[in-house]
Amino acid sequence: MRRIAFIGLGANLGRAQATLEQACAALHQASGCEVTAVSSWWRSVPVDADGPDYVNGVAQLETSLEPERLLDTLQVLERYFGRQRIYRNAPRTLDLDLLLYDAELPPGLCLNTPRLQLPHPRLMERAFVLHPLLELLPTLSWPGVTDVAALCMSLAVQQGIERLGGPQP
Ligand SMILES: Nc1ncnc2c1ncn2[C@@H]1O[C@H](COP(=O)(O)OP(=O)(O)OP(=O)(O)O)[C@@H](O)[C@H]1O
Ligand SMILES: Nc1nc2c(c(=O)[nH]1)N=C(CO)CN2
């Protein structure tokens, strides 16, 4: 059974945008994963973190992997692209977060295990996630949020975010 999942991508070390584009290509090659859409890339200052500016975006997947197996794939790719876990929210070459799973009807699958929380618990607090996610899912509605687009605009004003352009074909 194939499910729709949304992956948040971020990087603030190395050639960040190129890494995110390569990570999307690698995800498309991964077993049980097909990348069906990629948002624009967005630059923002680190939120609750330090280091250089981030580049962020969101990819839509069709996947036959169960959520924890998909997380395994994301973590293998993070390591392949040189991610080191030095301290919480440390600068990184690649961060891949599973935002939504089985997401035809958001918020999709709800899960709370020691390894995996779904939907991603900080999704609605971050302009760098919400902005690209709304590009792919413009009708996104959310329990307890009356106007997701207005929330996104207000987060963008508070946190600052700049569109860099679409991914390479
Ligand atoms: N939805 C999720 N997507 C990715 N990792 C998750 C998720 N829910 C829980 N985790 C767990 O979070 C742990 C820490 O992940 P990571 O170091 O990438 O956090 P982060 O991306 O730096 O911070 P944040 O979660 O605030 O974005 C992972 O080892 C993973 O087990
Ligand atoms: N702008 C921005 N800030 C962050 C980011 C990120 O991807 N972009 N990721 C974080 C932890 O995952 C913490 N802060």
Side-chain angles (χ1 to χ4, degrees), residues 23 56 81 88 137:
N56 288 100
F81 283 95
R88 185 160 189 276
L137 256 186

Side-chain angles (χ1 to χ4, degrees), residues 10 44-47 49 54 56 89 92 95 97 126 128:
S44 59
V45 296
V47 176
Y54 271 86
N56 288 100
N89 286 353
R92 71 278 309 262
D95 184 30
D97 288 335
R126 294 172 160 176
F128 64 81

